[in-house]
Amino acid sequence: MALLDWIAADNDLRLEGHAVRLRPHRASDYPEWAALREDSRDFLQPWEPTWPADDLTRGAYRRRLSAYAQDMERGVAYPFLVFRRTDGAMVGGITLSNIRRGVAQMGSIGYWVGQPFTRHGYTVDAVRAVTTFCFERLRLHRVEAACIPTNLASQGVLAKAGFDREGMARDYLKIDGVWRDHLLFGLLTPNP
């Protein structure tokens, strides 16, 4: 994707919530992103896939941006950073991925929030903004999410964002180096 296309895509993909703004990652976000992830490492790692040894390096971030640009160009994933509206502070990230078209018309969301920004409603607001994007702009029929059964905070986020708990998937994702069961959640378009 050419740089001008990326800038146009960035401008087109700005999402607004009540308390947050979402937009795709930029190269200039690296210092703030790396600092927030590093400062929140102990808080995040129990809920995420194992971080590669070089995960927080500038080179790994560049590779991440390249993969994100390819996914967005193909329409299979849309990763966003989440910023607090009041002061522009980066609070976390959310990704719509695994977008399937045809008979499915669905995608999956995953999110993270830096430890200093938990329990302020930013993640719920970001999830709502992305689901609105899914249904109104992408015209998806269904959005899915999953979390470890012990992650009560994430279950609360999904419930507040309108998701229904649908069941359990055994050894669904490898989290922090271990295959873990996950609770599955779904949300259907309000305008079928």
Side-chain angles (χ1 to χ4, degrees), residues 24-99:
H25 297 63
R26 298 177 182 157
S28 60
D29 293 321
Y30 169 72
E32 189 175 8
W33 174 87
L36 182 58
R37 298 278 296 169
E38 179 60 42
D39 292 345
S40 301
R41 179 187 294 262
D42 292 341
F43 171 73
L44 295 171
Q45 282 186 324
W47 317 112
E48 296 187 355
T50 301
W51 294 14
D54 71 340
D55 194 51
L56 299 180
T57 65
R58 190 174 295 275
Y61 188 75
R62 276 192 223 112
R63 289 189 301 276
R64 184 184 304 263
L65 289 184
S66 177
Y68 289 167
Q70 291 172 17
D71 286 347
M72 289 170 61
E73 188 171 320
R74 292 187 350 240
V76 297
Y78 295 90
F80 297 97
L81 288 172
V82 180
F83 299 89
R84 186 168 50 196
R85 287 180 72 128
T86 56
D87 61 1
M90 183 185 299
V91 300
I94 185 168
T95 301
L96 170 66
S97 63
N98 303 315
I99 296 173

Side-chain angles (χ1 to χ4, degrees), residues 10-191:
D10 186 352
N11 289 334
D12 289 345
L13 287 177
R14 292 174 188 259
L15 308 181
E16 298 284 332
H18 176 70
V20 297
R21 290 189 169 110
L22 290 72
R23 66 161 171 76
H25 297 63
R26 298 177 182 157
S28 60
D29 293 321
Y30 169 72
E32 189 175 8
W33 174 87
L36 182 58
R37 298 278 296 169
E38 179 60 42
D39 292 345
S40 301
R41 179 187 294 262
D42 292 341
F43 171 73
L44 295 171
Q45 282 186 324
W47 317 112
E48 296 187 355
T50 301
W51 294 14
D54 71 340
D55 194 51
L56 299 180
T57 65
R58 190 174 295 275
Y61 188 75
R62 276 192 223 112
R63 289 189 301 276
R64 184 184 304 263
L65 289 184
S66 177
Y68 289 167
Q70 291 172 17
D71 286 347
M72 289 170 61
E73 188 171 320
R74 292 187 350 240
V76 297
Y78 295 90
F80 297 97
L81 288 172
V82 180
F83 299 89
R84 186 168 50 196
R85 287 180 72 128
T86 56
D87 61 1
M90 183 185 299
V91 300
I94 185 168
T95 301
L96 170 66
S97 63
N98 303 315
I99 296 173
R100 297 170 303 283
R101 295 292 184 170
V103 297
Q105 299 293 328
M106 63 197 317
S108 302
I109 63 165
Y111 46 82
W112 64 274
V113 62
Q115 189 170 16
F117 304 104
T118 61
R119 305 216 184 275
H120 294 283
Y122 302 130
T123 306
V124 173
D125 200 23
V127 169
R128 287 179 178 151
V130 169
T131 57
T132 298
F133 170 72
C134 290
F135 297 138
E136 293 181 3
R137 184 145 172 202
L138 299 180
R139 301 286 185 219
L140 297 178
H141 175 70
R142 175 183 172 80
V143 181
E144 299 174 332
C147 67
I148 297 170
T150 56
N151 191 341
L152 300 179
S154 192
Q155 290 178 53
V157 164
L158 294 169
K160 288 176 186 171
F163 282 72
D164 292 318
R165 183 173 159 179
E166 297 181 332
M168 172 85 76
R170 304 276 307 173
D171 287 354
Y172 188 66
L173 296 172
K174 196 170 190 179
I175 301 297
D176 200 22
V178 178
W179 287 104
R180 302 287 304 267
D181 295 347
H182 278 67
L183 297 173
L184 303 178
F185 293 80
L187 181 65
L188 301 178
T189 179
N191 308 309

